[in-house]
Amino acid sequence: MASDIVAQLADSLAKTGVEDGELSYKGQGRKLDDAQSVEEIVKEIQDFEGLQALRLEGNTVGVEAAQAIAKALETKSDFKRCYWSDMFTGRLRSEIPPALNSLGDALMLAGARLTVLDLSDNAFGPDGVKGIENLLKSTACFTLQELRLNNCGMGIGGGKILAASLTHCHKKSSAEASPLSLKVFVAGRNRLENDGATALAQAFQLMGSLEEVHMPQNGINHAGITALASAMQQNKALRILNLNDNTFTEKGAIAMAQALKHLASVQVINFGDCLVRPAGAKAIAETVSEGLPILKELNLSYGEITEEAALAVAQSVKGKDKLEKLDLNGNCLGEDGCVALKDAMESLNMGEILGTLSDDEGEPEDDEDEDEDDDEEDLEDVDEEELEEEEEEEEEEEEEHSTSKFSTPVSAPRPPDVSSFLSFPSPDKLLKLGANRALLIEQQVDVSDAPKTAEAFLKIASVYKEENRDVKNAVLDSIDALLRKAYSTPSFQGCSFVSSLLVLLGLIKSEDKVKPVLVVPGHLHALEHVVQQDYFPEQSVAVLEAFMSRNNKILESCGNARITLQTTLQRVKSES
């Protein structure tokens, strides 16, 4: 009896944080389709005096359910924080804008003054941004401090809508002597590219209040990076700048180095996997040496930096008493260069601060840099032409996402051949598909056909390389895009997909005499990633766990990959 009371009390405390006015349904996996399914939530919202925050992460909310919740929020004038990430899993894309509009209208009607709006991991595209456009322009967002839109698939069009909304809000709030002072902006993995980043840069420059900016993996090259650098220079209180996995080249890195000279409050710089190259690294080193007194972390990994440039970076951190981590892994130092770098850091009594150099690429070829510079310029010219066409298509009809968006002018080189990659997969072919590889693959595969989707998954996974970060990220991003689209497609049969996987892996026999693939560790590494994602159903985890736990000779050659997958499946299953 006592245990029941304790359980009820724990459940009550989990739902309601009375001290900070928070009502939470985080991670409960509820399928909220209509008004009846949210009756309990609606009542608790209505009964909660002084409600300031609502957590709906990890549930799936339909239009009618959102409208019912919105109705309950209409009287909550103290409301401040929306924790609404990952709440549209399995929903049609057309359902998301009306759901967001309903919730936004309610907050405006209530006279709420938001400080946090988190809609990350909802994959709603440009249309989803339209769903929050009115809210962002309203008085409810005059007080907004944190805007988190990570992994939402906004694209260039969504980025422009977002930028225009923030600009409008700042101008409108400034006219009322309470200018928008956004402090935290998170928008990683959104395919913003140059045009989206440049539009947002203009809004950032106008606000001048940012303290944290996280925009990794957005396909931004030097033009967009230069625009962001100019904007960051106006945000004097900036502490954290994370632009990981964009393509700076020397031009972008030098522009960013110049901007950092005006930002004495910066504590964390993450330019890992940004191709800053030797000249860019030296420019950043000069900035670090001359300023940034409270720098804690500097990440210049995977940037094609040579020994000389790396040693310049090492010398630049001399006297940086607050520095906790320096990451120069995955560059082009060579064995002697790695030793020299470690010695240099040891001589500064900062050896423990230097991260691992285990992924060093070795010394570059003598003429490699020049050739790559020329190639980079050519690629950027093609990218700009592609972006212009993409923007025109989005303006005409953003919902269609047709392959014509990525067609290339006659004068430009032929676009990457997805069919060739899927027919004869290789890491090189995957990387050459470029920044839009995930979308290109997603468009090529008929996700309504579960067996074909399973075949495509295994072909992509077959080129996975644990030791090659670029290939690893390309594989996982492509698989995420493909399966997220598949599981959000009403006609997709998840059970058939898992069965097809097991057949193709040779773990079960097929009546159609399907020939199994040659199982490689990459297949299991990719599966280990997938089963941890929000789009992958719990029941499918249990099925996979049952088969993977058996003694299968087919999987013996995969060694550690098999053990890791089994461990992850058991953990995910126990947590569900």
Side-chain angles (χ1 to χ4, degrees):
M1 185 70 178
S3 61
D4 292 340
I5 296 173
V6 171
Q8 290 173 7
L9 179 59
D11 183 60
S12 176
L13 289 173
K15 289 181 179 178
T16 59
V18 178
E19 290 183 359
D20 60 2
E22 181 180 292
L23 183 58
S24 177
Y25 301 93
K26 180 179 179 180
Q28 296 185 10
R30 299 193 187 193
K31 195 170 187 294
L32 307 172
D33 295 324
D34 49 30
Q36 184 177 357
S37 66
V38 293
E39 284 180 351
E40 175 194 351
I41 295 175
V42 167
K43 186 176 187 309
E44 291 186 343
I45 292 173
Q46 291 171 337
D47 293 344
F48 200 123
E49 294 294 331
L51 179 65
Q52 295 182 24
L54 177 62
R55 288 189 174 274
L56 293 172
E57 312 104 305
N59 299 285
T60 176
V61 183
V63 177
E64 289 184 25
Q67 290 170 342
I69 292 171
K71 187 69 177 175
L73 289 172
E74 288 180 357
T75 60
K76 302 301 176 181
S77 59
D78 295 327
F79 198 82
K80 295 180 181 179
R81 304 186 300 280
C82 307
Y83 299 108
W84 297 344
S85 64
D86 185 25
M87 69 172 198
F88 294 115
T89 300
R91 299 292 169 183
L92 294 175
R93 185 165 166 179
S94 59
E95 292 182 82
I96 300 176
L100 290 173
N101 271 316
S102 297
L103 293 165
D105 289 346
L107 297 177
M108 290 187 277
L109 184 61
R113 292 292 184 270
L114 297 184
T115 57
V116 178
L117 178 58
D118 185 355
L119 288 165
S120 297
D121 300 317
N122 279 311
F124 48 45
D127 296 335
V129 185
K130 289 181 180 179
I132 58 172
E133 184 177 6
N134 290 335
L135 175 63
L136 288 172
K137 291 179 176 179
S138 73
T139 56
C141 285
F142 283 7
T143 51
L144 194 63
Q145 295 181 12
E146 297 183 20
L147 179 58
R148 300 178 182 272
L149 297 168
N150 200 57
N151 192 30
C152 287
M154 290 189 288
I156 296 170
K160 288 184 174 181
I161 296 169
L162 177 61
S165 300
L166 291 173
T167 299
H168 180 95
C169 182
H170 184 269
K171 290 180 178 179
K172 193 174 175 182
S173 58
S174 296
E176 297 188 15
S178 58
L180 171 65
S181 297
L182 193 67
K183 289 182 171 57
V184 177
F185 180 81
V186 182
R189 301 185 69 181
N190 271 290
R191 301 175 187 147
L192 295 171
E193 303 187 25
N194 277 352
D195 286 1
T198 300
L200 285 165
Q202 294 171 354
F204 296 162
Q205 188 159 341
L206 192 64
M207 290 185 291
S209 56
L210 289 167
E211 296 179 9
E212 293 185 29
V213 174
H214 302 265
M215 297 174 66
Q217 290 184 289
N218 270 298
I220 308 168
N221 64 32
H222 76 81
I225 295 298
T226 300
L228 286 171
S230 179
M232 293 305 104
Q233 189 171 323
Q234 304 304 316
N235 289 264
K236 304 297 184 184
L238 189 69
R239 295 182 297 105
I240 299 175
L241 182 57
N242 176 8
L243 295 173
N244 187 282
D245 201 4
N246 290 289
T247 308
F248 282 41
T249 68
E250 293 91 331
K251 293 179 182 178
I254 291 170
M256 195 60 74
Q258 290 299 315
L260 287 168
K261 290 183 178 181
H262 302 271
L263 301 171
S265 298
V266 168
Q267 298 177 24
V268 177
I269 297 172
N270 187 345
F271 296 161
D273 208 6
C274 285
L275 205 66
V276 299
R277 293 183 175 154
K282 289 178 182 178
I284 293 169
E286 180 183 336
T287 295
V288 173
S289 178
E290 295 175 355
L292 306 181
I294 58 174
L295 186 65
K296 291 183 177 180
E297 293 184 20
L298 176 59
N299 184 347
L300 296 177
S301 58
Y302 302 92
E304 293 190 358
I305 299 170
T306 55
E307 177 184 350
E308 181 185 0
L311 290 174
V313 173
Q315 289 301 318
S316 75
V317 301
K318 181 180 180 180
K320 302 296 176 187
D321 297 335
K322 303 293 184 182
L323 193 67
E324 299 172 357
K325 182 179 180 182
L326 173 62
D327 191 347
L328 288 167
N329 197 21
N331 283 299
C332 304
L333 310 185
E335 289 185 20
D336 292 342
C338 288
V339 172
L341 178 59
K342 290 176 182 177
D343 288 345
M345 292 299 289
E346 289 290 349
S347 71
L348 298 173
N349 293 319
M350 301 176 80
E352 73 282 357
I353 291 172
L354 180 65
T356 180
L357 300 174
S358 59
D359 288 345
D360 187 75
E361 297 287 339
E363 295 182 51
E365 298 292 334
D366 291 341
D367 59 349
E368 188 175 304
D369 288 342
E370 274 185 34
D371 293 341
E372 288 187 352
D373 287 343
D374 294 338
D375 292 344
E376 185 65 37
E377 294 300 325
D378 292 341
L379 284 171
E380 288 170 2
D381 289 341
V382 174
D383 285 344
E384 288 172 8
E385 290 174 340
E386 289 178 345
L387 291 182
E388 287 175 7
E389 290 204 2
E390 185 173 347
E391 182 181 340
E392 289 172 5
E393 290 292 334
E394 284 181 349
E395 289 174 355
E396 289 174 7
E397 183 56 68
E398 287 176 336
E399 286 188 350
E400 291 182 1
H401 291 277
S402 65
T403 55
S404 64
K405 285 170 61 177
F406 299 97
S407 61
T408 311
V410 175
S411 59
R414 290 180 62 187
D417 189 348
V418 182
S419 298
S420 174
F421 166 71
L422 290 175
S423 298
F424 304 99
S426 75
D428 186 54
K429 284 183 182 179
L430 181 63
L431 293 178
K432 285 183 177 179
L433 291 176
N436 292 319
R437 66 178 68 88
L439 187 56
L440 290 169
I441 292 172
E442 176 187 321
Q443 292 170 336
Q444 181 76 15
V445 179
D446 179 8
V447 295
S448 64
D449 188 325
K452 286 184 179 178
T453 304
E455 287 179 18
F457 166 82
L458 291 175
K459 286 179 178 180
I460 300 168
S462 69
V463 305
Y464 180 99
K465 300 290 182 185
E466 182 68 26
E467 70 279 3
N468 188 319
R469 185 175 179 179
D470 288 342
V471 174
K472 175 181 176 180
N473 287 342
V475 168
L476 297 184
D477 286 347
S478 300
I479 284 172
D480 279 342
L482 177 66
L483 295 189
R484 194 176 292 278
K485 180 181 179 182
Y487 278 104
S488 63
T489 300
S491 58
F492 181 72
Q493 297 180 341
C495 292
S496 177
F497 170 76
V498 173
S499 297
S500 297
L501 272 184
L502 294 172
V503 168
L504 289 168
L505 291 171
L507 301 179
I508 58 176
K509 292 183 179 180
S510 168
E511 295 178 0
D512 299 326
K513 298 183 179 179
V514 174
K515 184 178 179 181
V517 301
L518 175 64
V519 182
V520 296
H523 291 140
L524 305 192
H525 282 302
L527 264 179
E528 195 257 339
H529 168 81
V530 165
V531 299
Q532 299 178 76
Q533 305 308 305
D534 55 8
Y535 55 72
F536 199 74
E538 293 176 4
Q539 59 268 32
S540 296
V541 172
V543 173
L544 286 175
E545 196 272 335
F547 279 92
M548 293 297 169
S549 62
R550 298 176 182 177
N551 291 322
N552 296 300
K553 292 184 178 179
I554 294 172
L555 303 180
E556 287 179 356
S557 61
C558 295
N560 290 335
R562 176 190 182 185
I563 296 170
T564 303
L565 174 58
Q566 289 175 334
T567 303
T568 300
L569 284 167
Q570 290 167 2
R571 175 178 58 78
V572 174
K573 181 182 176 183
S574 66
E575 291 174 352
S576 62

